[in-house]
Amino acid sequence: MKLSKFFLFLLSMLAFAFTLPAQTNVVLRCEMSNCGGSLALYEFDGFGFRQLQRLSAQGETQVYEFKVPASTPRFYYVGPLVEDLRPIVLGEEKQVGLKGSCSQMRFAEISGSKINQDYEFTRQKMDVLNNRSGQLLRSFAYAENDEQRQSFTNELKSLDADKIVFLDSLRKANLFLGRVASLNTYISFQNNNNGKHNSEVEYFANEYFSFADFSDPGYNHLPWVYEAFSNYAQTLSGINLPDEMVATFLQASLDKVPAGASARQLAYAGILTGLERRKHASYAAFAEKFTSEYKDLSPAAVAEIKAG
């Protein structure tokens, strides 16, 4: 019972094809102040932010124009230094604007971009749904009687339905946002196990990624893969489970991501981050596996792991 309640508490803390444009490049026009003369564009690979371009200001107005290849939507990051970056989605829209101060990059305003506006709505909606889920799971864990537990179970069932409706609506409207939501959609054991798994821990370990299809190459450059696997690893390694069981669950979920895919590197990085934060014994084994698998595919990331 103590294990079940502790697991529920940890679980409750989790914050849960496009037609390509005709142009070959898209433009990010940044009107920024206090940048110290240069501004950079980065991409996240799980182990760090890799600088793609660095530009000097054009004229006294400090205008920087980055050009990236047209593609399906993907995340980039803008800032003078990696310590303070503004995430932005680029790929399909011909030109996107960014305006603000380099001293407060996260508050820079994006303009002329529907996908970024829709992403912000999606992110906020996911926060609302997952915060509510956390509240209900905590209440269920500490319910005093069967009547209270049934009441919370019914509320979780309604919330599960809301999550599925939201996910389905995004998948129909925008595959990119649907992928983001798929990594942030987890429905309750109380209403969805149906005897399949022996415990809530086993349900969580096997069903956490049930809405993500990692064979879809659209997950390859999605930082949410890293975030999801980090949350997953932290939760599993924070429960009083045998080390071997944690490693088995993690490996099974990692193997859902195709070998050689960029998404697999993001998943590895998330697992390693989660295990490192918990100081879990499985960290060394997964670090060794990553080093062996990616020594040729991603030597820079391997070097970072070896450097410790």
Side-chain angles (χ1 to χ4, degrees):
M1 181 61 70
K2 290 183 178 178
L3 172 60
S4 177
K5 286 188 176 182
F6 183 52
F7 173 73
L8 281 167
F9 176 76
L10 283 172
L11 183 59
S12 73
M13 299 308 291
L14 289 177
F16 282 105
F18 293 91
T19 301
L20 293 179
Q23 73 269 12
T24 57
N25 288 304
V26 298
V27 175
L28 172 61
R29 179 180 171 84
C30 304
E31 298 180 40
M32 308 297 296
S33 61
N34 304 314
C35 296
S38 71
L39 192 65
L41 186 71
Y42 300 85
E43 198 165 30
F44 182 68
D45 69 358
F47 293 93
F49 293 93
R50 308 301 180 193
Q51 182 175 300
L52 302 176
Q53 301 175 41
R54 180 170 289 275
L55 301 178
S56 297
Q58 300 176 16
E60 296 180 359
T61 57
Q62 297 191 49
V63 174
Y64 308 82
E65 286 197 355
F66 296 98
K67 293 181 180 179
V68 299
S71 67
T72 52
R74 57 195 292 179
F75 282 97
Y76 294 89
Y77 300 81
V78 187
L81 300 169
V82 295
E83 288 77 15
D84 188 15
L85 298 175
R86 177 64 160 99
I88 191 166
V89 180
L90 301 172
E92 289 189 328
E93 295 163 321
K94 186 174 181 179
Q95 180 165 309
V96 177
L98 185 68
K99 188 173 184 177
S101 170
C102 282
S103 63
Q104 293 182 310
M105 282 303 304
R106 291 188 177 275
F107 298 101
E109 295 185 0
I110 299 171
S111 61
S113 175
K114 185 177 186 302
I115 187 61
N116 281 281
Q117 184 178 19
D118 290 347
Y119 168 71
E120 184 60 24
F121 170 80
T122 299
R123 188 187 63 78
Q124 292 179 8
K125 178 69 171 180
M126 291 188 308
D127 284 348
V128 169
L129 291 171
N130 289 324
N131 287 340
R132 180 57 179 155
S133 181
Q135 293 169 0
L136 289 173
L137 287 169
R138 286 193 292 275
S139 297
F140 182 92
Y142 294 102
E144 297 179 354
N145 53 56
D146 289 343
E147 183 179 354
Q148 288 184 355
R149 279 188 284 274
Q150 186 59 53
S151 176
F152 293 131
T153 296
N154 292 340
E155 289 189 64
L156 282 166
K157 184 175 183 179
S158 177
L159 184 62
D160 289 342
D162 290 343
K163 289 180 178 181
I164 297 301
V165 168
F166 183 57
L167 174 61
D168 287 345
S169 70
L170 288 175
R171 283 174 164 168
K172 292 175 183 176
N174 188 306
L175 288 177
F176 171 76
L177 297 177
R179 295 182 192 107
V180 172
S182 75
L183 293 163
N184 287 273
T185 301
Y186 176 78
I187 54 178
S188 65
F189 166 81
Q190 290 80 357
N191 292 290
N192 299 282
N193 183 52
N194 299 319
K196 183 178 180 181
H197 300 290
N198 294 323
S199 68
E200 183 159 8
V201 171
E202 186 179 321
Y203 172 85
F204 172 84
N206 288 281
E207 304 297 333
Y208 187 74
F209 296 102
S210 60
F211 294 102
D213 176 11
F214 292 113
S215 66
D216 175 0
Y219 287 88
N220 279 338
H221 301 284
L222 195 58
W224 279 104
V225 174
Y226 165 86
E227 296 290 349
F229 273 90
S230 178
N231 285 339
Y232 177 71
Q234 282 190 77
T235 301
L236 284 178
S237 58
I239 312 167
N240 187 26
L241 294 175
D243 294 344
E244 297 79 7
M245 184 178 292
V246 172
T248 298
F249 284 144
L250 290 175
Q251 188 64 52
S253 290
L254 176 64
D255 287 344
K256 294 176 182 178
V257 189
S262 297
R264 188 172 173 91
Q265 176 169 317
L266 290 166
Y268 255 121
I271 288 173
L272 289 169
T273 298
L275 293 174
E276 185 176 34
R277 287 174 179 167
R278 294 290 188 189
K279 301 187 185 304
H280 195 270
S282 297
Y283 176 87
F286 277 93
E288 185 177 346
K289 288 178 182 180
F290 176 79
T291 298
S292 176
E293 189 174 335
Y294 280 84
K295 61 181 183 296
D296 297 323
L297 292 172
S298 189
V302 168
E304 288 186 25
I305 291 296
K306 289 183 175 180

